[in-house]
Amino acid sequence: MSSSLHGMYRFARAVLRPIMTPWVRIEATGEENIPERGPAILVFNHLSEVDPLCVCWFFMKRDLPVRFLAKKSLFEVPVFGSIISAMGLIPVDREGDAARSLDAAKEALARGEVIVIMPEGTLTQEPDMWPMSFKTGAARLALDTGAPIVPVAQWGPQDIMDRYEPGIDLRPGRRVRYAFRPALDLSDLRTQAGSQDREAVAQAVSRMHREVTTGVEGLRGLPAPETIWRAGTRTGPWWEAELKERARKEKKAARRGRRRGE
């Protein structure tokens, strides 16, 4: 980890301490599975827009800088974009060449860094907030670089900020829980073909999803559904929220058109 990046983490930690300390109470199990250094890939289920903030804060307190893969649009936000860029977050262009982010992640792993990926690619769309289908990026990275994957389950951020509501709960003592699972054994899947072996990638994704889901089951004390929810399924609360957002944008565009006399 570069000294400038580490310095930015120290600065961000100092800024966040008076905010995060009373606000979020993080509990973790399986901490013996947290890598002391990289290269390593941590994969989390994705529940809320505050997930990255809580995860970064957890590792800041451990003095272990981690690098997130984050959507490109966040880097365009004034001030905030400059901060996360200086902290070394890796932009992901979902509408362009997403493979570039994997190249940047490979370079980070080659330097011995720890990266964090939320392989659902967006907030879970599963109606009851179980992990939905995973994308292949983390599995491909692991097979190409040899870096271990540590699955991590989380629960609680959705109570701080709901995935479909704009409000945020700023009351002190908000509870967030993490369950760090043992690193995945992918030794039987690693060959010279790396991520070109599609079956190996599929097997790695399946094991990753199973471990994260098992961790979420433990945190919630409930069994997960047998069927994995597929991203983009056009039903349920995710699709209803998407339709509302589309309708809002259409109304906004119509108002602009009327003002312009179109």
Side-chain angles (χ1 to χ4, degrees):
M1 187 69 65
S2 69
S3 58
S4 61
L5 181 60
H6 192 66
M8 178 56 72
Y9 257 78
R10 285 200 299 267
F11 171 76
R13 182 173 58 188
V15 170
L16 288 174
R17 180 176 288 113
I19 300 171
M20 298 296 292
T21 300
W23 181 31
V24 178
R25 178 165 57 90
I26 299 178
E27 303 170 2
T29 60
E31 292 183 86
E32 68 276 8
N33 298 315
I34 299 175
E36 295 182 0
R37 62 185 64 85
I41 304 167
L42 305 177
V43 294
F44 285 72
N45 56 309
H46 200 0
L47 298 167
S48 168
E49 296 288 3
V50 300
D51 290 352
L53 177 62
C54 294
V55 172
C56 276
W57 175 240
F58 176 82
F59 285 106
M60 283 176 180
K61 292 193 296 180
R62 299 181 68 91
D63 200 27
L64 177 63
V66 296
R67 297 188 64 181
F68 267 89
L69 271 68
K71 56 187 178 182
K72 183 181 177 182
S73 59
L74 292 178
F75 291 79
E76 299 168 359
V77 178
V79 182
F80 178 71
S82 299
I83 293 174
I84 63 174
S85 179
M87 289 177 66
L89 272 70
I90 300 170
V92 179
D93 188 355
R94 296 175 180 171
E95 299 179 357
D97 186 7
R100 277 185 162 185
S101 62
L102 292 185
D103 291 338
K106 285 181 183 180
E107 293 171 3
L109 291 170
R111 292 191 296 269
E113 298 180 9
V114 178
I115 65 172
V116 172
I117 297 178
M118 295 182 174
E120 288 160 289
T122 187
L123 300 178
T124 181
Q125 298 158 9
E126 204 280 334
D128 201 27
M129 304 203 74
W130 292 99
M132 65 175 180
S133 59
F134 282 5
K135 296 183 183 298
T136 62
R140 288 157 56 197
L141 279 173
L143 294 177
D144 284 341
T145 66
I149 289 180
V150 177
V152 190
Q154 65 167 332
W155 192 249
Q158 76 284 352
D159 294 330
I160 298 175
M161 185 175 186
D162 187 86
R163 54 186 169 174
Y164 302 127
E165 299 295 335
I168 186 167
D169 187 347
L170 295 174
R171 292 177 297 169
R174 299 305 88 199
R175 187 186 185 200
V176 172
R177 292 180 293 156
Y178 298 141
F180 290 85
R181 310 282 296 172
L184 292 178
D185 182 5
L186 302 179
S187 58
D188 60 318
L189 303 179
R190 289 194 166 103
T191 66
Q192 291 185 344
S195 64
Q196 297 302 309
D197 185 338
R198 294 185 178 181
E199 179 58 30
V201 171
Q203 285 292 326
V205 169
S206 177
R207 295 177 191 181
M208 186 167 53
H209 190 279
R210 183 169 58 249
E211 281 298 308
V212 171
T213 302
T214 297
V216 176
E217 287 180 323
L219 292 175
R220 298 182 64 175
L222 295 170
E226 294 183 4
T227 302
I228 298 173
W229 189 269
R230 297 295 166 185
T233 300
R234 298 189 173 190
T235 186
W238 167 80
W239 183 238
E240 293 170 5
E242 177 70 14
L243 291 176
K244 289 180 181 179
E245 179 64 13
R246 290 186 184 185
R248 186 190 67 80
K249 290 180 178 179
E250 288 173 359
K251 289 180 180 178
K252 186 176 181 180
R255 287 196 298 268
R256 287 177 178 173
R258 286 194 296 269
R259 285 196 298 266
R260 295 172 182 171
E262 297 176 356

